[in-house]
Amino acid sequence: MTSSSNGVSRPFNHPDQPGSQHRLLRHDSTLTVAQSVSLTIGGDSLHVVDERSKSKDHRACCGLLAKSVSAKTAHSISLYNILDAGLSPAGLTITYAQPAGKDSISVTALEYPIADEEKVNAQTWITQLLDLAYGEAQQYKRLKVIINPFGGKGGASKSYHKRAAPVFAAARCKVDVEETTHQGHATEIVEQLDVDAYDAIVCCSGDGLPYEVFNGLAKKQNAGEALQKLAVAMIPCGSGNAMAWNLCGTGDVSVAALAITKGLRTPMDLVSLTQGQTRTLSFLSQSFGVIAESDLGTDNIRWMGAHRFTYGFLVRIMQRTVYPCDLAIKVEIDDKKAIKEHYNTYAHNPAPHRSPEETAGQSKGLPELKYGTVLDDLPKDWEVIPGEEMGNFYAGNMAIMSKDTNFFPASLPNDGLMDIVTISGTIPRTTTLKMMTAVPEGDFFDMPDVKIRKASAYRLIPHQKAGYISVDGESIPFEAFQAEVHKGLGTVLSKSGHLYEAEGPRA
């Protein structure tokens, strides 16, 4: 969240968000309280003008006299920041989020007395305020909060209770908190969860916990229904926090809590990954080669936080390591210009919505695999990609992989496609180093040595006997695997309800 010089708080909102600054009222609605305070609901803000008299010392010729003067003050609060409003015997209370530093928020409130004869009008005004403040977002969400106390630097529990919990409480969310005790615990918790008891599962962690949550939902007998009914969201408490950056546009705990409170239910593609007879779900990415090794091969230096990835990457590219493999892809779009056109078409179409009837009509289990598993014969219409000199294979289902790393700018939440980047391991070191700076600068997509394809499925078979394969930042066995996209299988809470909080590919 940012604050302008005139004190108007501005949220990290998205121009496509229903109920954002593009929503305008036919007429401003004003409520007068405490006789001289006007509260006006504007197109995107609540405007507060306080003209109450204040006592001020005034020195006259015959001595010091107390004089009452009018000191008009005015400020505005973004409707996105309004958390709740209500009447009590004490009067009207409006709770909202205000800036508390460069990129964080805190909860505060306005309180005014209300005469009994004005309470009916005030209640009507409150209803209008909250309807506009939440737009299409659900109020009073029922949240299952799962905290990984060991994630990141081990401060997830403290961060949640100090900085996220007050936001949920102020928004009157119903919250059930549980901490994990071992790896895979979140999967066990979610597998036993009543899908009708909650609206969303909030992961206080890095990206490992959402991975466990999606796979817990996938294990339920009514997996198809569960994945659509229960939205998944993240409070960023890990190293990469990709889910929070993509859906909330932030790596801050308090701002993410606000984004979840105002979050819109958004259908999102999920990827089935098979190894032998094992099937798991991926929501973020799969990597093989230098990216996987830079992530999973640096667990011994986790104390470095996100910098460990950069360190591991530099060490490996200086060695010009290659990762030979067999690779076949069900390519849907392989031209960068066509990929940009696909992105722009999706971005300018209405946001996807899933009706309650569609959710109710979902099959009980996971969808069938259209292309079978890695054990089946390779489909004849798949493109075989030379992989003897593979340096990096990276398949993404989200745009941002970590802060300032918009690796897949053309990635879309609900287009039924994943973005696959392949880079040769034999390119000059200087080119590889340029790629590192090109990602945050937005130039990576158009680099000639970066091959990008939109695909619906692929198969990768490593040639080496040992190494790393990363799925959503988690290690899986180093053996052949196959991946297939399922359009809109999962549900998340996002700011826009349409796009990730990342810049798309440049025109």
Side-chain angles (χ1 to χ4, degrees):
M1 174 167 309
T2 60
S3 179
S4 68
S5 60
N6 62 4
V8 179
S9 59
R10 294 176 181 168
F12 289 113
N13 61 350
H14 195 291
D16 287 326
Q17 179 179 337
S20 72
Q21 67 266 36
H22 297 284
R23 181 194 60 238
L24 298 175
L25 300 177
R26 289 181 179 273
H27 302 285
D28 287 347
S29 178
T30 299
L31 176 69
T32 300
V33 295
Q35 297 183 332
S36 302
V37 180
S38 64
L39 307 173
T40 302
I41 306 171
D44 64 352
S45 299
L46 172 64
H47 306 289
V48 182
V49 178
D50 190 341
E51 297 184 88
R52 285 178 292 185
S53 297
K54 295 176 175 61
S55 180
K56 182 179 180 182
D57 286 342
H58 176 71
R59 185 174 296 277
C61 61
C62 54
L64 188 65
L65 300 176
K67 183 177 181 181
S68 184
V69 298
S70 177
K72 180 177 177 180
T73 61
H75 68 281
S76 295
I77 304 166
S78 168
L79 292 180
Y80 179 84
N81 293 12
I82 301 292
L83 295 169
D84 194 29
L87 293 175
S88 70
L92 169 67
T93 300
I94 301 170
T95 311
Y96 65 100
Q98 70 171 1
K102 182 180 177 182
D103 295 308
S104 63
I105 60 164
S106 63
V107 175
T108 189
L110 300 173
E111 296 180 317
Y112 303 103
I114 292 283
D116 288 342
E117 60 270 19
E118 292 296 325
K119 287 186 176 180
V120 173
N121 289 338
Q123 188 59 61
T124 301
W125 183 90
I126 288 169
T127 300
Q128 184 183 28
L129 174 66
L130 293 179
D131 284 348
L132 292 167
Y134 279 84
E136 295 186 14
Q138 179 186 352
Q139 298 181 43
Y140 315 127
K141 293 181 177 74
R142 302 169 300 163
L143 305 176
K144 176 67 177 181
V145 175
I146 303 178
I147 301 174
N148 174 11
F150 311 105
K153 297 181 180 180
S157 184
K158 181 179 179 181
S159 293
Y160 169 77
H161 288 289
K162 182 178 180 180
R163 305 185 62 223
V167 178
F168 293 151
R172 287 199 285 165
C173 295
K174 183 179 179 181
V175 180
D176 175 22
V177 180
E178 188 167 354
E179 293 193 5
T180 60
T181 59
H182 55 272
Q183 188 172 12
H185 191 193
T187 297
E188 298 167 8
I189 293 170
V190 173
E191 191 177 358
Q192 302 301 318
L193 211 61
D194 179 0
V195 299
D196 294 316
Y198 303 96
D199 301 306
I201 302 171
V202 178
C203 304
C204 295
S205 65
D207 295 304
L209 211 58
Y211 172 76
E212 290 189 17
V213 166
F214 278 118
N215 281 286
L217 294 173
K219 288 178 177 291
K220 299 179 76 67
Q221 289 186 342
N222 61 337
E225 179 186 14
L227 285 161
Q228 294 203 355
K229 276 190 172 182
L230 282 171
V232 180
M234 176 199 275
I235 296 290
C237 297
S239 300
N241 305 316
M243 175 177 260
W245 282 108
N246 281 283
L247 301 179
C248 304
T250 185
D252 180 80
V253 169
S254 60
V255 176
L258 174 62
I260 290 168
T261 299
K262 295 298 182 79
L264 301 168
R265 294 179 62 85
T266 307
M268 191 180 81
D269 302 338
L270 295 176
V271 175
S272 274
L273 190 141
T274 62
Q275 285 186 305
Q277 299 294 336
T278 303
R279 178 182 182 181
T280 55
L281 290 183
S282 168
F283 76 95
L284 176 61
S285 65
Q286 309 92 49
S287 62
F288 166 82
V290 68
I291 295 291
E293 289 228 352
S294 301
D295 183 10
L296 300 175
T298 57
D299 266 354
N300 60 317
I301 52 173
R302 276 191 172 271
W303 57 269
M304 293 180 68
H307 296 297
R308 70 185 174 90
F309 177 86
T310 303
Y311 172 80
F313 185 82
L314 288 171
V315 168
R316 285 156 181 80
I317 66 165
M318 295 310 292
Q319 298 170 350
R320 298 185 72 187
T321 311
V322 296
Y323 306 85
C325 65
D326 293 334
L327 177 62
I329 303 176
K330 174 59 175 172
V331 179
E332 304 297 344
I333 312 173
D334 65 355
D335 174 74
K336 289 184 180 180
K337 181 180 178 182
I339 290 174
K340 292 178 182 181
E341 291 173 351
H342 170 81
Y343 179 92
N344 289 328
T345 298
Y346 181 103
H348 288 93
N349 280 338
H353 288 280
R354 188 188 292 131
S355 68
E357 291 74 23
E358 289 178 297
T359 301
Q362 270 296 304
S363 60
K364 293 295 183 182
L366 292 175
E368 292 186 8
L369 294 170
K370 183 177 179 180
Y371 301 107
T373 74
V374 71
L375 300 177
D376 295 317
D377 292 338
L378 187 70
K380 294 181 179 180
D381 60 343
W382 288 24
E383 181 180 340
V384 176
I385 311 296
E388 288 297 326
E389 296 182 339
M390 183 68 68
N392 184 39
F393 171 91
Y394 207 177
N397 193 43
M398 284 184 162
I400 303 169
M401 294 295 108
S402 62
K403 183 181 180 181
D404 300 324
T405 311
N406 185 8
F407 206 94
F408 301 100
S411 182
L412 293 162
N414 189 43
D415 67 343
L417 301 171
M418 63 185 115
D419 291 27
I420 296 179
V421 169
T422 53
I423 301 172
S424 172
T426 63
I427 62 175
R429 294 185 183 94
T430 53
T431 302
T432 309
L433 288 171
K434 287 179 182 177
M435 288 180 178
M436 287 191 67
T437 58
V439 173
E441 292 173 359
D443 299 325
F444 178 78
F445 184 96
D446 291 306
M447 294 184 75
D449 290 301
V450 176
K451 179 63 180 177
I452 299 179
R453 302 170 177 89
K454 285 274 187 183
S456 54
Y458 69 86
R459 177 180 296 181
L460 191 150
I461 304 173
H463 287 183
Q464 297 166 313
K465 293 184 178 179
Y468 294 98
I469 298 170
S470 174
V471 176
D472 299 352
E474 301 297 307
S475 180
I476 65 170
F478 192 74
E479 60 187 53
F481 67 100
Q482 182 163 307
E484 173 181 326
V485 183
H486 306 292
K487 185 176 185 296
L489 177 61
T491 307
V492 292
L493 293 177
S494 73
K495 286 191 69 175
S496 74
H498 191 197
L499 300 172
Y500 294 130
E501 298 295 307
E503 290 188 15
R506 293 177 177 174

